[in-house]
Amino acid sequence: MFEVLLENQIRNGTNQWDPFASQEEWELAVWLMKNVGQTSTDEFLKLPVMNLSFRNNRSFLKQVDALPTGPNWECEIVTAPGDQCGEDGEIVGEDMELWYRDPVECIKELLSNPAFKDLISYVPERVYTSSDGDDRIYDEMWTGDWWWDTQTKLPDGAAIAPLILASDKTQLSQFQGDKKAWPVYLTLGNISKEIRRCPSAHATVLLGYLPVPKLSCYSDATRSLAGYCLFHYCMGKILASLMVCVDGFVRLIYPILTAYVADYPEQCLVSCCMENCCPRCTVDPNDCGDPTLFPNRDMLSTLETLYAHERGYEPEKFTKDGIHAIYEPFWRNLPHCNIFGSHKGFFKDHIVKWCTTLIGEDELNARFKAMSGYPGLRHFSKGISSISQWTGTEHREMQHVFLGIMAGSVDQDVLTVVRAALDFIYYAQLQMQTSTTLAALKACLTTFHCFKDIFIRYEIHKHFNIPKLHALLHYFASIQALGGNDRYNSESPERLHIDFAKDAFRASNRKDYHEQMTLWLQRHEAMWQREAYITWLSTQQQAVDEQLSNANNPNDSNDSNNSGDLDANDRANAHDTSGANLVSYHIAKTPPLQGVTVQHLIENFGATNFIPALTSFLQQQQPPHPLLPNMSDCFNLYKQIIITLTPNAFLSSQKMTNRIRTSPAVPPHGHKKGLPGIFDTALIIDDPMEYRSPGGLTGLRVAQVCAIFSLPSYFGAHPHPLAYIEWFTPLGVPNPQTGMHVVNRSTRHHQPNSAVISTTHIVRGCHLMGQFGNTITKGWTTDNILKKAKDFYLNPYIHVDTFTIVNIS
């Protein structure tokens, strides 16, 4: 794709900035497109200080339109005939616009994008954790069984382009009006999901906008079915058209519809089944609570049933399998879709609702209000019962603390069900699955079904014939077929709505907005494509320069710098004499709190044993420092430290960090309210010889970090900041009821067990949840619970990374 563009520019004598005059003009154009509306752009360009090749918004957009862009948009008028008569006695119909692009052209664009060159695969793989082949890995789509099985059915030399479609209806107008859009997105299983998950990588393209009609030309009895048929008709039009690749090879590409990502109602819409049925299999709606797998829905069998029903027969399967009378489903000439479910609806709509009934809404809200804080964790300051609209974010935030909320207030069987459901959710989120994690996932669901009848015994619920509960049974086969399902949930299209629907709608005048949205998108895609081209061109030039440099200097060595000098991050990744792996961190270049006295540390940071702890630290240094601290010393303090976490193979390969805060209370000033002090807890290396940096809790211990400070130079040179901490008791065997470790404040001679440590021994932040007991103690708040509670749970659900360390490592 970019090679052709480069050849054209060389032939025409233009450069990479064309049609803009220079690099500066191009960068201004990028900024205007990203940040400024059309009216403001016009005003900006008319300023007398501007000396550009475009003078107003119209000439600016004319230059943008001259850029090469992606596949063209087409508009087709679709007519719904209706079944109602108008005032003239004639049948009333409804015309609507279907906007779409050729999926084959979209596939070509994705496969020919050089940005994906090292992140794309054309062949299936079987991957294992070790050479013995006992523990298989299911990660990317090409590591699943479906690709292997399908590849054997194709001719030699053929390559598969697994199409992943997603659709989700969304509201565009916010406060008035009923403007809606129904985007359809397309991406490929060939592209690594690490890049597919990143919207700015543009590995997912907008394929079309389905019409969202009112269908008032139909009666109430037929309107719903007419809407289903319209959806399938439009999808059939979009996919009716179902190459040179990015690495330069020519392949015979087979585009195969492999997965369709949608919420539960749309899954049923795609599968042509009733919403009380399973879109994946033929389970009877009254047997959805049974943990038994039923035969999968078969495309040919469904089409035969629909064919018979259309001709006036009444096949038993039509009613038994809950099939809708959609006689021309869009997938009739394509491989059957693989539909993935989502756990969020089941947990919030059922588990949380049942537990709220058990312990009472007031008690549940009080526990959420008093939950201890953690960086990035939402504090439900008013509880959860007042939240009217739940999103995926609220679901996750609630799940992070829900087991700690319920512990102590319900009996063991209820807690077992809640824990099994949460464990299932967390295992299902793993980007990389193995045979071991799949076995654990299956064990969680088995445990849930073994104990779920407790809600019937409490008369909280009468049955478990819930389609979303039944859908969890299909996770195992789906993961084995298509790899980890972390990219097959409805949150992916929800995030894409921002770029492809909501921002585009806001740029329109709200009239005939679909046409304006497609034009807006086409212009932005042209800018994205040119930005990618410029980046590619720069990379190509660097490669040429390196080759020339190596040719001219064949004796140069990459290891010429052997001075041994280390910067801050290098030192943090080195090894100390104790054998522990030091932790990489980031901290402010200059401490924001200067000249803090020891008395201030004691009163405002809770560092009651600061002098003894620092004295002990200095005496343990080799050689021991002769000068000891006293109350007249002053220290420079930091407000936070950011720890770089060890890469987690089960999650994204992108770098993850933890923030640990040590901020003193801020008193009220004028009209501003005061802020409580924040002193986070962390996992600290307690036994360096036992600690294993790749994972697990061995050698670690919980402590509250009260102060992070730099050591004055007169106490000797120390390469890293220090931290004053107060220990909790060592981690023992997890609590059998909750599966969580229980800790409490550690004391020595009736004083907090404190220490001063190097910040390189802070491994990661952690979250402690106070044990509420049967009823929460009055006076407990999120600000004081770490001081008031006696016992605490170490929360493994605060992040999927923490969950894997506690349960898998």
Side-chain angles (χ1 to χ4, degrees):
M1 179 169 69
F2 290 166
E3 288 88 348
V4 175
L5 181 56
L6 178 59
E7 290 176 3
N8 291 337
Q9 287 187 340
I10 294 173
R11 186 184 309 112
N12 298 329
T14 58
N15 59 28
Q16 64 266 41
W17 318 116
D18 183 70
F20 298 96
S22 64
Q23 178 179 354
E24 291 76 15
E25 194 170 285
W26 160 254
E27 291 174 352
L28 174 62
V30 171
W31 182 82
L32 289 172
M33 286 294 290
K34 286 182 178 179
N35 302 290
V36 184
Q38 294 192 34
T39 302
S40 299
T41 297
D42 212 31
E43 295 174 357
F44 177 79
L45 294 177
K46 289 179 181 179
L47 293 174
V49 295
M50 295 292 103
N51 185 21
L52 303 167
S53 61
F54 43 90
R55 296 291 184 179
N56 51 42
N57 185 65
R58 182 178 180 182
S59 60
F60 168 60
L61 292 179
K62 189 175 180 180
Q63 292 200 22
V64 173
D65 291 338
L67 291 169
T69 186
N72 293 325
W73 283 91
E74 298 179 36
C75 179
E76 183 168 327
I77 301 300
V78 178
T79 301
D83 60 5
Q84 299 292 295
C85 294
E87 294 179 356
D88 57 0
E90 298 292 329
I91 294 293
V92 178
E94 183 174 348
D95 293 337
M96 60 209 78
E97 294 180 348
L98 170 63
W99 288 87
Y100 66 97
R101 299 194 277 192
D102 186 348
V104 173
E105 294 302 317
C106 294
I107 294 168
K108 288 180 180 179
E109 182 180 13
L110 289 172
L111 289 178
S112 62
N113 190 336
F116 306 147
K117 181 177 180 180
D118 299 323
L119 300 164
I120 201 165
S121 177
Y122 298 100
V123 294
E125 299 175 3
R126 286 196 177 101
V127 186
Y128 300 88
T129 58
S130 61
S131 58
D132 57 20
D134 292 334
D135 198 15
R136 185 172 170 185
I137 293 174
Y138 300 93
D139 187 1
E140 301 287 356
M141 183 179 283
W142 56 80
T143 65
D145 293 331
W146 174 87
W147 202 320
W148 277 96
D149 297 340
T150 307
Q151 191 74 51
T152 61
K153 303 172 184 177
L154 302 180
D156 292 341
I160 296 174
L163 271 61
I164 303 173
L165 296 184
S167 64
D168 183 43
K169 197 182 300 183
T170 185
Q171 185 75 29
L172 296 176
S173 50
Q174 294 180 333
F175 302 107
Q176 59 182 355
D178 58 349
K179 303 293 192 277
K180 297 178 181 179
W182 198 342
V184 180
Y185 304 106
L186 179 147
T187 187
L188 298 175
N190 309 83
I191 303 171
S192 170
K193 57 185 176 182
E194 188 70 37
I195 202 74
R196 294 204 314 264
R197 75 173 66 244
C198 182
S200 61
H202 308 297
T204 300
V205 298
L206 179 64
L207 185 58
Y209 289 114
L210 297 174
V212 190
K214 297 183 182 300
L215 294 178
S216 54
C217 56
Y218 288 91
S219 64
D220 293 341
T222 60
R223 185 175 299 124
S224 178
L225 181 59
Y228 296 158
C229 293
L230 176 65
F231 167 84
H232 282 268
Y233 176 82
C234 293
M235 286 298 299
K237 281 286 185 182
I238 292 175
L239 300 177
S241 65
L242 302 169
M243 335 185 161
V244 176
C245 300
V246 62
D247 54 7
F249 289 94
V250 178
R251 292 181 176 86
L252 177 61
I253 299 289
Y254 281 77
I256 300 176
L257 181 55
T258 308
Y260 198 114
V261 181
D263 58 17
Y264 195 83
E266 282 194 36
Q267 292 174 40
C268 296
L269 172 60
V270 171
S271 295
C272 303
C273 70
M274 306 289 184
E275 289 190 14
N276 65 339
C277 297
C278 174
R280 294 291 302 275
C281 73
T282 57
V283 62
D284 188 283
N286 295 321
D287 294 329
C288 284
D290 188 348
T292 302
L293 283 172
F294 289 79
N296 285 335
R297 291 183 181 272
D298 178 70
M299 183 178 75
L300 293 177
S301 176
T302 301
L303 289 175
E304 290 173 358
T305 303
L306 287 169
Y307 181 82
H309 189 270
E310 185 181 16
R311 276 148 184 78
Y313 299 102
E314 294 294 336
E316 181 183 356
K317 285 177 64 67
F318 186 84
T319 303
K320 183 180 178 182
D321 294 349
I323 299 175
H324 270 304
I326 304 169
Y327 300 126
E328 294 186 356
F330 73 86
W331 40 258
R332 63 190 181 278
N333 296 318
L334 299 170
H336 203 288
C337 307
N338 290 284
I339 311 294
F340 277 74
S342 174
H343 61 259
K344 68 180 184 181
F346 173 72
F347 189 85
K348 165 62 178 67
D349 295 342
H350 301 286
I351 298 290
V352 175
K353 182 179 178 180
W354 299 339
C355 290
T356 303
T357 304
L358 276 176
I359 72 172
E361 191 174 280
D362 292 341
E363 178 68 19
L364 187 74
N365 287 334
R367 290 171 180 244
F368 271 105
K369 292 177 186 178
M371 180 54 62
S372 54
Y374 180 83
L377 177 67
R378 172 173 176 175
H379 175 226
F380 293 93
S381 58
K382 298 181 180 180
I384 64 170
S385 59
S386 60
I387 299 176
S388 58
Q389 186 172 356
W390 286 85
T391 66
T393 301
E394 275 88 14
H395 283 282
R396 284 192 298 272
E397 298 296 337
M398 178 180 58
Q399 291 161 8
H400 289 329
V401 299
F402 197 74
L403 190 63
I405 292 287
M406 298 306 300
S409 63
V410 294
D411 67 24
Q412 178 58 41
D413 286 356
V414 174
L415 208 59
T416 299
V417 173
V418 173
R419 178 186 169 191
L422 282 172
D423 286 352
F424 184 96
I425 290 169
Y426 275 72
Y427 276 116
Q429 293 179 64
L430 300 184
Q431 176 174 325
M432 184 190 79
Q433 298 281 358
T434 66
S435 303
T436 301
T437 60
L438 283 180
L441 188 71
K442 186 172 291 188
C444 294
L445 193 57
T446 300
T447 301
F448 178 90
H449 282 288
C450 287
F451 290 89
K452 68 179 187 293
D453 287 344
I454 185 66
F455 292 108
I456 294 178
R457 294 200 295 271
Y458 276 122
E459 298 182 350
I460 300 297
H461 205 65
K462 296 181 179 179
H463 63 82
F464 294 96
N465 297 322
I466 305 168
K468 290 181 181 179
L469 170 59
H470 168 80
L472 303 182
L473 288 171
H474 295 294
Y475 271 60
F476 316 106
S478 296
I479 291 170
Q480 289 174 328
L482 299 181
N485 69 353
D486 55 302
R487 288 294 93 193
Y488 302 112
N489 59 60
S490 57
E491 289 182 20
S492 298
E494 287 172 1
R495 171 59 185 85
L496 293 170
H497 288 341
I498 298 174
D499 294 331
F500 293 123
K502 298 184 185 297
D503 286 349
F505 177 74
R506 282 192 285 267
S508 73
N509 63 6
R510 277 58 168 177
K511 296 178 181 179
D512 298 323
Y513 54 89
H514 278 118
E515 182 176 4
Q516 298 175 57
M517 289 166 68
T518 57
L519 179 59
W520 179 92
L521 178 64
Q522 187 162 304
R523 285 169 172 164
H524 279 73
E525 283 183 339
M527 300 293 284
W528 297 334
Q529 190 178 102
R530 179 53 61 92
E531 283 186 285
Y533 169 70
I534 292 171
T535 302
W536 172 82
L537 203 60
S538 175
T539 304
Q540 296 295 105
Q541 187 60 49
Q542 288 176 7
V544 172
D545 292 343
E546 288 178 6
Q547 290 176 2
L548 292 174
S549 176
N550 292 336
N552 295 328
N553 303 284
N555 296 321
D556 282 358
S557 171
N558 292 328
D559 299 323
S560 59
N561 182 11
N562 294 317
S563 64
D565 293 336
L566 301 174
D567 62 20
N569 281 337
D570 289 330
R571 285 195 300 269
N573 287 319
H575 288 74
D576 66 5
T577 55
S578 66
N581 290 327
L582 298 181
V583 177
S584 176
Y585 64 85
H586 296 275
I587 202 164
K589 188 174 182 179
T590 303
L593 303 177
Q594 299 280 326
V596 178
T597 65
V598 174
Q599 188 62 38
H600 188 83
L601 275 166
I602 294 172
E603 293 176 355
N604 296 282
F605 289 80
T608 54
N609 294 326
F610 183 80
I611 294 295
L614 182 56
T615 300
S616 176
F617 174 83
L618 294 174
Q619 290 176 339
Q620 291 173 9
Q621 302 305 299
Q622 296 297 328
H625 199 273
L627 188 63
L628 298 180
N630 57 60
M631 293 295 292
S632 62
D633 290 317
C634 293
F635 299 86
N636 298 333
L637 272 63
Y638 301 89
K639 289 186 176 182
Q640 66 176 10
I641 185 173
I642 297 175
I643 305 296
T644 301
L645 302 181
T646 304
N648 189 326
F650 293 98
L651 303 179
S652 169
S653 60
Q654 295 180 353
K655 182 173 68 175
M656 295 184 294
T657 59
N658 263 171
R659 184 160 54 101
I660 298 169
R661 305 161 297 178
T662 55
S663 300
V666 177
H669 178 71
H671 65 279
K672 294 184 178 180
K673 294 182 179 180
L675 298 174
I678 301 175
F679 304 99
D680 289 325
T681 52
L683 288 169
I684 312 292
I685 299 175
D686 183 36
D687 188 336
M689 302 306 295
E690 290 276 337
Y691 171 61
R692 298 181 298 109
S693 62
L697 300 176
T698 305
L700 300 180
R701 186 172 174 181
V702 178
Q704 186 172 26
V705 183
C706 299
I708 301 172
F709 61 97
S710 59
L711 194 65
S713 58
Y714 53 78
F715 285 117
H718 196 278
H720 304 283
L722 305 179
Y724 172 86
I725 62 170
E726 293 185 349
W727 292 109
F728 285 77
T729 52
L731 299 173
V733 178
N735 180 281
Q737 294 183 328
T738 62
M740 297 186 287
H741 293 86
V742 177
V743 296
N744 50 58
R745 295 274 183 180
S746 177
T747 59
R748 180 179 293 173
H749 306 303
H750 305 291
Q751 290 290 322
N753 183 7
S754 54
V756 167
I757 62 167
S758 169
T759 50
T760 58
H761 284 69
I762 303 176
V763 174
R764 63 175 57 240
C766 68
H767 183 231
L768 297 183
M769 301 184 290
Q771 289 191 3
F772 294 113
N774 187 50
T775 306
I776 188 172
T777 303
K778 290 185 178 180
W780 283 9
T781 69
T782 185
D783 299 327
N784 65 25
I785 192 168
L786 282 178
K787 293 181 180 178
K788 300 236 176 190
K790 179 182 177 183
D791 298 305
F792 302 86
Y793 292 116
L794 175 61
N795 184 6
Y797 303 100
I798 193 62
H799 193 277
V800 184
D801 178 56
T802 307
F803 179 82
T804 62
I805 288 171
V806 173
N807 292 280
I808 302 177
S809 300

